[in-house]
Amino acid sequence: MSFDWNDIPILLELAQTGSMSAAGRVLNIDASTISRRLAAAEKELGVRLFIRDNSGYHPTETGLVFLGHAEKVSGEVRSMLVDTRNEAEGVSGPVRLTAIDSLFSQWLVGHMPALLQAYPQLQLQLQPSNQSLSFTRREADFALRLARPQEDAALVARKVGDLAYGVYGATAFAHVLHEQWPQQPWLAYGDELSELPEMVWLRELAPHGRQVIQVSSVSTLVQACKAGIGLAVLPCLMAEKGGLQRLSPDPVLLRPIWLLTHRAIGKISRYRAVAEWLAQIFEADAGLLLGEAAKPYTAA
C-alpha cells in the first residue's frame, strides 16, 4: 500500500470543517489540492471516506474508522516532534495539567513555586475543568479526577489519595447535633450533579430534606454555607480554609483521587519531573486532604 501519510492532516481537517475551502484556509492550501488528495486516498484505500451533501462533507462509517486511527497517528507524530525537541533541552517545555478548580485554587497552586524554582524552564498549563480530555490527542498530560474515567488508549490511571468530605456550617450551626441534621436547611448541587457521592449521601440522610439552595460549583456552595444559609457536604480542604465549622469529628465520606497520565510520560524528562512532584505532594499532604494538618513540600 502506497498511502501518502501527508494526507492525514488534510483529511482530519476536512472532517473537522466539513468544507474543502475552510480546510484549505486552515492548512494554507487550495481546495483543489484537498480534492485531489481525498480522491487519491480513497483510490489507494479502495473505500469511500466522505460523502457530500448540501451542508458539506461528512465521513462515511468507514471514514470514521479511518479518522479515529488517523487522529491517534497525528497526535503521536506531534508528540514525537515536541518531545524530541524538548528532551534535548532537559526539563523544559509545556506540561498540561487539568484538575477540578478546588484542587488547583486550594492546594496545588501553593506547591507550584517549589516545582518551578527547581525547574525554571517548565511551562505549566493549568486547565481547571472536570470535562473529559483526550490523552491520545495530548489535550492533557496529567489529570486529577474524583472518578475513574472510561478507558483511553493512551491513558494510565492510578489512585493517589483520598479527598475527605464533612458536614459544615457557619458558626450559627455549630451546636446542631447529628440527629438533628435531617431537619436542617441544606445547600446542594442541582439535578445535573445529583449523582455525585456527596449528593447520594445527603439523599440517604434526609430523603425529604429541605434544600434551600441548589448550585453548580463547590466554590458557590462554600460561600453560601459561610453566609449561614444552611449546611453543606463539602471537601474538608476547602471548607476549613474557608473558616467553616465541621459538625462531626470525622469525615462523612471519602472520594478517591485518580491521577491520569499519558503512557509516554516515563520517557520524557519534564513529565517525569512533574510526576515525581505530584507523587511527593500527595504523600506529604495525605493528611491535609483527609482534613488533618498539612506538611510542606520541598523540591528535590
Side-chain angles (χ1 to χ4, degrees):
M1 182 176 291
S2 58
F3 179 82
D4 189 342
W5 297 96
N6 293 312
D7 290 342
I8 286 179
I10 294 175
L11 299 175
L12 286 172
E13 193 61 43
L14 179 59
Q16 179 70 27
T17 62
S19 163
M20 288 192 178
S21 58
R25 285 193 295 272
V26 172
L27 299 172
N28 197 29
I29 57 178
D30 56 69
S32 61
T33 298
I34 295 178
S35 179
R36 288 197 304 273
R37 297 320 309 158
L38 172 60
E42 291 182 331
K43 180 179 179 181
E44 181 60 37
L45 294 171
V47 297
R48 188 79 177 273
L49 297 176
F50 287 85
I51 57 173
R52 183 183 182 184
D53 60 21
N54 291 334
S55 62
Y57 286 84
H58 307 281
T60 62
E61 292 296 322
T62 304
L64 289 173
V65 173
F66 170 85
L67 291 166
H69 288 288
E71 188 175 67
K72 294 177 184 177
V73 170
S74 180
E76 288 300 321
V77 170
R78 285 196 302 271
S79 296
M80 175 187 68
L81 298 175
V82 171
D83 291 345
T84 300
R85 182 176 64 248
N86 288 322
E87 184 65 12
E89 299 171 356
V91 181
S92 65
V95 177
R96 292 169 289 275
L97 174 61
T98 182
I100 58 174
D101 186 53
S102 57
L103 282 179
F104 273 139
S105 60
Q106 300 295 321
W107 181 55
L108 276 170
V109 169
H111 285 291
M112 287 178 183
L115 174 67
L116 294 173
Q117 183 177 10
Y119 305 112
Q121 299 305 312
L122 274 179
Q123 302 166 18
L124 296 179
Q125 299 176 359
L126 310 183
Q127 304 175 64
S129 171
N130 200 34
Q131 70 182 36
S132 296
L133 298 175
S134 171
F135 284 78
T136 300
R137 296 192 300 270
R138 300 303 283 270
E139 293 175 344
D141 301 309
F142 296 88
L144 292 171
R145 295 288 183 256
L146 297 181
R148 187 167 187 168
Q150 295 180 349
E151 289 299 322
D152 183 318
L155 178 66
V156 174
R158 64 186 179 93
K159 181 183 173 184
V160 290
D162 288 293
L163 187 63
Y165 286 69
V167 173
Y168 288 89
T171 305
F173 288 91
H175 66 282
V176 176
L177 302 176
H178 182 277
E179 55 267 24
Q180 297 174 315
W181 288 358
Q183 291 76 46
Q184 302 304 309
W186 283 89
L187 314 173
Y189 294 116
D191 292 341
E192 72 279 6
L193 299 174
S194 63
E195 295 309 311
L196 290 178
E198 52 267 43
M199 293 299 97
V200 173
W201 180 91
L202 179 57
R203 286 198 300 274
E204 292 174 351
L205 172 79
H208 305 293
R210 183 162 56 99
Q211 297 184 4
V212 293
I213 284 182
Q214 291 186 338
V215 303
S216 59
S217 74
V218 65
S219 58
T220 304
L221 206 61
V222 169
Q223 293 304 314
C225 199
K226 288 175 67 175
I229 299 172
L231 304 183
V233 185
L234 294 168
C236 300
L237 180 71
M238 290 192 68
E240 292 175 13
K241 284 191 174 185
L244 292 167
Q245 301 289 317
R246 195 194 299 183
L247 272 60
S248 66
D250 299 317
V252 297
L253 63 89
L254 299 176
R255 292 190 63 182
I257 304 174
W258 292 90
L259 174 61
L260 316 179
T261 60
H262 193 280
R263 291 185 182 278
I265 66 164
K267 304 173 185 177
I268 310 300
S269 57
R270 72 184 186 279
Y271 298 146
R272 288 199 306 271
V274 173
E276 290 167 4
W277 168 72
L278 286 168
Q280 289 182 38
I281 63 174
F282 269 105
E283 181 179 359
D285 282 2
L288 175 64
L289 296 169
L290 291 171
E292 302 169 6
K295 300 177 184 178
Y297 163 75
T298 304

